[in-house]
Amino acid sequence: MADTTQNQATHPPQPRKASWKYIGPGIVVAATGVGAGDLVATLIAGSNFGYTLLWAAIIGCLVKISLAEAAGRWHLSTGRTLFDGWASLGRWTTWFFAVYVVVWGFVYGAAAMSSSALPLQALFPGVMDLKWWGIACGLVGLVFVWFNKYAVFEKVMTVLVGVMFVVTVYLAIRVTPNLADAFAGLLPVLPDEKDSILNTLGLIGGVGGTITLAAYGYWVNAKGWTDTGWMKVMRLDNRVAYLTTGVFVIAMLFVGAELLHSANVAIASGDKGLVQLGDILEEEYGAATAKFFLIGFFATSFTSLIGVWHGVSLMFADFVARLTGRGRAKGEEVASGERERSWPFRGYLLWLTFPPMVLLFEGQPFRLVILYGVLGAAFMPFLAGTLIWLLNTSRTPREWRNGPLSNVMLAVAGLLFLVLCLKQIWDQPWGDFF
């Protein structure tokens, strides 16, 4: 590992020109990070507060640009994977990731399949029960990721992102946003309601903030970017990722503000809120608009499913290779495609797909859901904190260590997610857990 760093310092790679033709991992991370639940959260924010929190949604995108850029910069500047960096901080990171990836994957698998099934059931009523649609989505995701390498995966994700983009922008235009109020929403003002600070922090941290931010560095390597010559390209790619996310967020906030807030209409939290929105759109604009929206809803949910199936399986494969000493925890290993053909990659794919199907029939076990919520909330402060640690020490070549702006942004992200984590832990019904 030291040889890789020394070699890059002695013979620095030729910088590639930042060009749109290279864009790819950013589209993947944007599509995976923005799920149906994120769109509902933004809709509800627009429904409850109008355009007041538009500024918070934009800050959320900027915060996550800094996190994803830091993850990508670690991979490119050191030639090492993020898990290899975590392992250098102590065995506690290995234990945290091991517990997290097992519990989180089990519950998330069921949630992702159910979320993808909802729009299909609404589009084709009476064809199948929700749980069978969910099983079908899980199996399609499994087969697709199992038999395709990153290049094909990226192309399919790009097409689905295009569908998401067209649908969300169309809806934002269709509801005729009040641009004067929207511009006023860029001023950092808190709503005059109870818990407005926590609601604002939740919106900043919620959209596109998942383990896929950590997976971004792995997708960068899978694309074939393995050294500092790709740094400018990666940074452009990352900005495109969160510009795309910003468009999704702003568009859905417009829909919430105009369609729901102005009419004082409330929708349920969670994925079922989007099904309700489909019914509202049908009443307002007709069946064609409603079906068009449901297609976009499916694209949003299914990109999150196959994105996690690929990205987190890639991380798990690297985790096992590092743990067993059977592979080098380097970017070149990820770029070669060996990780995607390994048994840990495919084993975790099976874990995401088949055990969670039980939850589609039985419902989610209470204690496991609590652990899932706590571990999920803890991951983002863990990511922000470890990136600050890795990128300010000798583990990173001096040229690519954090500057003042990066440190401020990562510190803000860490504090933000720590507050949200503590709130999540506080809100859990621990009295019923024991």
Side-chain angles (χ1 to χ4, degrees):
M1 296 173 188
D3 292 342
T4 302
T5 304
Q6 184 178 357
N7 190 48
Q8 286 190 9
T10 307
H11 305 286
Q14 188 67 28
R16 271 79 171 181
K17 183 179 179 181
S19 171
W20 292 92
K21 69 180 181 180
Y22 294 125
I23 298 303
I27 297 297
V28 172
V29 77
T32 308
V34 179
D38 298 312
L39 295 187
V40 172
T42 311
L43 272 172
I44 291 175
S47 173
N48 291 339
F49 309 119
Y51 294 102
T52 305
L53 293 181
L54 180 60
W55 64 273
I58 293 172
I59 287 179
C61 292
L62 295 176
V63 165
K64 289 166 199 105
I65 283 176
S66 66
L67 281 165
E69 188 275 340
R73 178 155 43 94
W74 166 265
H75 277 249
L76 295 182
S77 65
T78 65
R80 301 160 62 186
T81 63
L82 185 55
F83 186 79
D84 192 52
W86 286 338
S88 74
L89 302 178
R91 291 187 64 83
W92 66 274
T93 60
T94 300
W95 286 109
F96 174 81
F97 184 79
V99 175
Y100 173 83
V101 81
V102 171
V103 175
W104 182 88
F106 182 56
V107 180
Y108 180 83
M113 287 186 271
S114 179
S115 178
S116 298
L118 279 169
L120 292 176
Q121 188 183 46
L123 281 167
F124 307 104
V127 173
M128 280 195 293
D129 189 69
L130 181 68
K131 57 181 173 289
W132 295 111
W133 277 117
I135 289 171
C137 290
L139 292 175
V140 170
L142 170 69
V143 171
F144 171 72
V145 175
W146 188 291
F147 290 105
N148 288 292
K149 295 174 76 171
Y150 175 80
V152 176
F153 165 72
E154 182 190 287
K155 287 181 173 63
V156 171
M157 291 288 274
T158 302
V159 171
L160 291 173
V161 166
V163 173
M164 292 168 60
F165 187 91
V166 170
V167 170
T168 53
V169 171
Y170 167 76
L171 289 178
I173 295 171
R174 193 78 171 81
V175 300
T176 317
N178 185 320
L179 295 181
D181 288 349
F183 279 114
L186 296 175
L187 295 174
V189 176
L190 291 174
D192 187 19
E193 295 192 20
K194 183 183 177 182
D195 293 333
S196 61
I197 293 178
L198 288 175
N199 287 329
T200 303
L201 292 178
L203 181 62
I204 292 173
V207 181
T210 68
I211 191 174
T212 53
L213 286 169
Y216 177 65
Y218 287 85
W219 284 323
V220 163
N221 286 159
K223 180 77 170 175
W225 306 347
T226 58
D227 55 49
T228 55
W230 292 100
M231 197 69 75
K232 288 184 178 180
V233 176
M234 181 276 292
R235 284 171 167 162
L236 174 63
D237 178 77
N238 180 45
R239 291 178 190 127
V240 169
Y242 284 95
L243 176 62
T244 305
T245 301
V247 170
F248 295 150
V249 170
I250 292 169
M252 295 311 287
L253 194 115
F254 281 8
V255 172
E258 293 296 339
L259 193 62
L260 305 178
H261 181 71
S262 58
N264 198 26
V265 175
I267 62 171
S269 60
D271 301 340
K272 291 184 179 179
L274 290 185
V275 176
Q276 283 182 268
L277 179 61
D279 295 336
I280 295 168
L281 288 169
E282 184 169 2
E283 290 177 10
E284 290 287 328
Y285 305 113
T289 297
K291 289 187 183 300
F292 188 51
F293 164 72
L294 289 172
I295 292 169
F297 177 6
F298 173 74
T300 300
S301 298
F302 196 64
T303 51
S304 293
L305 187 152
I306 60 175
V308 166
W309 263 229
H310 186 276
V312 183
S313 296
L314 205 55
M315 293 182 69
F316 183 76
D318 187 56
F319 163 72
V320 173
R322 176 67 172 72
L323 202 62
T324 59
R326 295 178 182 174
R328 296 172 299 165
K330 294 186 177 181
E332 289 91 340
E333 295 293 310
V334 180
S336 71
E338 289 183 18
R339 293 281 190 266
E340 293 165 284
R341 296 189 297 270
S342 67
W343 71 261
F345 180 91
R346 290 176 170 173
Y348 194 71
L349 268 179
L350 296 174
W351 174 254
L352 283 168
T353 307
F354 289 107
M357 288 179 183
V358 175
L359 303 185
L360 297 177
F361 289 89
E362 300 295 333
Q364 296 182 356
F366 179 71
R367 288 181 176 84
L368 195 61
V369 170
I370 290 179
L371 289 175
Y372 167 79
V374 170
L375 287 169
F379 184 81
M380 293 304 289
F382 166 79
L383 176 62
T386 53
L387 284 171
I388 290 174
W389 193 346
L390 291 170
L391 293 166
N392 282 286
T393 63
S394 59
R395 293 175 177 86
T396 303
R398 184 173 298 279
E399 180 185 357
W400 302 109
R401 291 178 198 169
N402 279 356
L405 180 60
S406 294
N407 277 324
V408 168
M409 293 299 290
L410 289 176
V412 168
L415 289 172
L416 163 68
F417 288 116
L418 181 60
V419 170
L420 294 175
C421 175
L422 294 174
K423 181 180 184 299
Q424 179 81 353
I425 294 171
W426 179 264
D427 289 345
Q428 296 297 336
W430 293 108
D432 299 328
F433 183 86
F434 299 103

